[in-house]
Amino acid sequence: MRDILPPESGRWRRFTAVFADVVEAAGYQQLIPPLLEDLGVFTRIGDATDVVTKEMYDFVDKGKRRVALRPEQTASVCRSFAQHRPTVPWKVFYSGPNFRYEKPQRGRYRQFDQVGIEVLGVDDPMLDVEVIALGWEFYRALGLRQVTLQLNSLGEPDDRARYVEALRTHFEAAGEQLSEQSRNTLAKNPLRVLDSKREPDQTFIESAPQIADFYSDEAAAHFDAVQVGLRALDIPFVVEPKLVRGLDYYRRTIFEFLGGTLDSAQNALGGGGRYDGLVEALGGPATPGIGFALGVDRTLIACDDEGCFDAEAPQLVAFVVDVVGGLEAAVLTTDLRAAGLSADRGYDNRSMKAQMKLANRSGASFAVIVGEQEHADGTVVIKPMHGGDQVTIPRSELIAHLSETTNS
Ligand code: HAM
């Protein structure tokens, strides 16, 4: 787990703000689920996933309840829906930290942030298109260019079940030739064997049955409609039949956004899909659902690599240098801030030279200086810090003067 220090922290805040702008413009409203939930909420993500079996931060609280820090937020959104029964379609977005006990490395952390959207109550493939398009638009708003969209469908639950059995038979026939890890995975979830990057597994993955051969007519029609919609919006995508995603709740459409600059183990910038049975599993009515989550930490690494969406320190308008005791600076900074002009100051009654050094370091556009003479005359000196002549003006004109200069 790590600290996000300034000025990087400011970039995180802007990231969330840009995301909120994109999705609020499409009718999504924010849901703020708790960080901690009953463990049972998250075990619905699937008992064959590492997220549930190996990576959960779960413990017994003082009331002897088994609870866990959320590893993601889709399950919480569905739990919230089942609990509050809002009218559908329920279009929500969220942001915030998640916790997974993973092996930390660049782009993979035990506490990481996500922004995401979820829609409950709509079966229409045009919603799949909208959801994917919003993710795409957000990457564009950040200025990222090297993002690839991978798309697949896992079919209806019956299709998926038949496909899983076909995969099981196929991989079992490989026997000992399959890597040991994949043999373990096979026992729990044959789909995830398709994710293996290990060399001995590759020939068997290549020759594995294809999901498309198992689609029912409905599943095939839904998937076709999604592709037609994405083409109509000029969103480029690649159908990747081996894309399975790491969580068990998915049905039908699934997708992943991959970054072009990251290592393949950490190049998923975001992902999502349909999870039509999850609300029901959490005690609610049968409700279709779809959404995505985008990893903030990882997407910002991609931004660094591509040189977009920079971290900028906020620009101060004024730095008040007060060499007559510090009270003048207290009043002036308060007045400036109240007028919407950002202002900082020096403390501890330091020398003019020391305070001017601070003013310089602060990056402020102007130093506002109050010396003995100005104090006596009711004036201030305004010194532009990035070139230009200094002026002495009546104190009462300070705000008007700076407002005018900063607006021009
Ligand atoms: P996920 O694929 O597990 O999906 O996570 C989504 C994104 O979160 C990943 O693509 C990645 O960018 C980021 N991420 C995941 N784990 C880590 C980590 N340890 N460190 C840094 N970043 C990480 C979900 O969480 C689903 N809830 C997405 C979803 C929403 N599906 C439907 N609705």
Side-chain angles (χ1 to χ4, degrees):
M1 290 170 189
R2 57 200 187 121
D3 297 313
I4 310 297
L5 301 173
E8 177 68 4
S9 50
R11 182 158 81 136
W12 280 56
R13 200 153 42 96
R14 278 196 295 129
F15 186 97
T16 314
V18 172
F19 184 74
D21 282 349
V22 168
V23 298
E24 279 182 336
Y28 292 72
Q29 291 183 295
Q30 186 168 17
L31 173 73
I32 307 180
L35 279 181
L36 190 98
E37 301 241 14
D38 189 277
L39 176 65
V41 171
F42 303 122
T43 51
R44 305 306 198 291
I45 295 169
D47 52 16
T49 65
D50 286 353
V51 170
V52 170
T53 54
K54 296 192 195 145
E55 297 167 2
M56 197 87 84
Y57 278 89
D58 59 323
F59 58 96
V60 178
D61 76 1
K62 289 185 175 26
K64 307 250 180 310
R65 301 173 199 91
R66 248 343 248 297
V67 293
L69 291 172
R70 65 183 183 206
E72 57 112 55
Q73 296 172 62
T74 309
S76 299
V77 172
C78 291
R79 191 268 312 138
S80 179
F81 180 86
Q83 188 176 339
H84 303 290
R85 308 286 168 102
T87 48
V88 295
W90 201 42
K91 298 172 89 172
V92 296
F93 77 92
Y94 51 81
S95 68
N98 311 280
F99 303 84
R100 295 183 193 176
Y101 197 84
E102 297 204 71
K103 192 166 164 238
Q105 53 207 288
R106 185 174 188 254
R108 192 176 293 277
Y109 310 99
R110 289 183 174 168
Q111 175 176 334
F112 61 95
D113 266 49
Q114 286 179 339
V115 293
I117 58 175
E118 312 288 349
V119 184
L120 292 170
V122 180
D123 206 41
D124 188 341
M126 286 306 111
L127 174 64
D128 307 31
V129 174
E130 172 181 300
V131 165
I132 295 170
L134 286 171
W136 189 256
E137 191 188 328
F138 175 61
Y139 290 123
R140 290 242 304 255
L142 293 178
L144 280 173
R145 310 231 146 259
Q146 298 179 42
V147 179
T148 322
L149 167 60
Q150 288 193 346
L151 188 69
N152 195 16
S153 168
L154 293 173
E156 303 284 347
D158 281 354
D159 312 341
R160 181 185 153 142
R162 283 185 295 117
Y163 180 54
V164 166
E165 277 325 301
L167 279 180
R168 192 189 306 282
T169 310
H170 171 79
F171 287 124
E172 275 175 1
E176 302 278 301
Q177 297 174 80
L178 220 52
S179 68
E180 192 187 334
Q181 293 95 326
S182 287
R183 273 180 273 142
N184 288 335
T185 312
L186 177 60
K188 288 183 276 175
N189 185 353
L191 268 182
R192 299 281 295 160
V193 177
L194 294 175
D195 253 0
S196 163
K197 306 272 184 293
R198 284 172 287 272
E199 193 46 46
D201 302 333
Q202 296 314 308
T203 41
F204 302 103
I205 292 175
E206 283 306 316
S207 59
Q210 298 277 316
I211 179 72
D213 296 331
F214 293 78
Y215 293 152
S216 60
D217 290 348
E218 293 83 6
H222 188 100
F223 194 30
D224 281 347
V226 173
Q227 296 179 55
V228 168
L230 290 174
R231 280 191 205 103
L233 298 185
D234 283 331
I235 296 176
F237 62 91
V238 182
V239 174
E240 176 47 71
K242 291 190 197 70
L243 177 67
V244 291
R245 306 266 308 124
L247 308 163
D248 275 356
Y249 48 58
Y250 292 112
R251 297 174 182 181
R252 296 194 280 177
T253 314
I254 53 172
F255 54 92
E256 217 149 54
F257 296 106
L258 304 180
T261 59
L262 290 102
D263 289 349
S264 67
Q266 271 83 240
N267 69 346
L269 302 182
R274 281 204 166 267
Y275 44 84
D276 297 341
L278 190 55
V279 172
E280 223 173 339
L282 285 158
T287 310
I290 181 171
F292 65 64
L294 314 180
V296 178
D297 311 64
R298 230 176 251 185
T299 305
L300 287 174
I301 292 176
C303 290
D304 288 338
D305 292 346
E306 288 200 31
C308 63
F309 202 68
D310 295 338
E312 305 155 1
Q315 195 70 54
L316 278 177
V317 174
F319 192 96
V320 179
V321 171
D322 168 356
V323 289
V324 292
L327 199 56
E328 292 271 18
V331 175
L332 287 174
T333 48
T334 305
D335 289 352
L336 286 164
R337 291 167 191 163
L341 296 163
S342 54
D344 199 0
R345 55 166 294 179
Y347 302 98
D348 295 330
N349 207 11
R350 301 185 47 195
S351 70
M352 168 77 100
K353 195 170 160 212
Q355 289 195 49
M356 284 309 293
K357 223 174 176 176
L358 290 176
N360 240 322
R361 204 192 300 153
S362 76
S365 306
F366 300 94
V368 175
I369 306 164
V370 187
E372 295 293 349
Q373 190 63 49
E374 291 78 25
H375 180 56
D377 297 349
T379 58
V380 289
V381 172
I382 299 180
K383 179 178 162 58
M385 299 302 282
H386 310 304
D389 297 331
Q390 67 178 49
V391 288
T392 302
I393 58 167
R395 211 182 137 145
S396 55
E397 291 172 16
L398 172 66
I399 285 167
H401 182 92
L402 285 187
S403 302
E404 218 168 88
T405 329
T406 47
N407 284 336
S408 63

